[in-house]
Amino acid sequence: MATKRAVPSGDAQFDVWLENFTTVLTNHPEEFRIDAEELQQLATEKARWIEGFAAAMTARDAARAAVEAKDIARQNVESVCRELMRRIQADSRVSDAARREAGMPVHKTTRIGCRSINGSARQ
């Protein structure tokens, strides 16, 4: 599992690399001139890494799920709002002031004459 880079930069690749590295060193400490204290330190820090990496992955997955739930909730409530707005905009009994207060656009009800290409007024 030799690589050009000493330690992979990506977390997932690092996790795989770390597992191999610690296994090989643990199985052959004399070949690598590693003593028991160094192996213990490696095991301790590896355990911290595993815990931190798992927590980060859990948080990432929870955040993704929360964003997805939020997006779905927004789509649903926005759909209800748009339907209500369509109905309210079509109802002449609702005042423009009430529409403005609800944050809805107030459309002009009168048409403005426009000029044709030759400059005369059209109606």
Side-chain angles (χ1 to χ4, degrees), residues 29-92:
E30 60 286 337
E31 187 174 337
F32 292 99
R33 311 292 189 257
I34 307 285
D35 64 31
E37 187 178 316
E38 291 170 315
L39 285 175
Q40 183 56 50
Q41 181 184 14
L42 178 60
T44 300
E45 296 306 325
K46 178 184 174 189
R48 286 187 183 137
W49 158 256
I50 290 170
E51 184 179 318
F53 185 51
M57 294 300 98
T58 299
R60 180 202 63 192
D61 294 344
R64 285 181 179 165
V67 168
E68 186 176 336
K70 182 251 331 165
D71 290 346
I72 291 169
R74 179 177 174 143
Q75 288 173 353
N76 292 341
V77 73
E78 197 171 310
S79 176
V80 170
C81 290
R82 288 181 186 282
E83 180 56 38
L84 289 171
M85 286 174 52
R86 275 191 286 278
R87 200 177 86 224
I88 291 167
Q89 290 290 37
D91 191 336
S92 61

Side-chain angles (χ1 to χ4, degrees), residues 89-104:
Q89 290 290 37
D91 191 336
S92 61
R93 298 171 295 178
V94 178
S95 71
D96 288 349
R99 287 183 177 100
R100 274 190 212 93
E101 185 179 356
M104 296 173 58

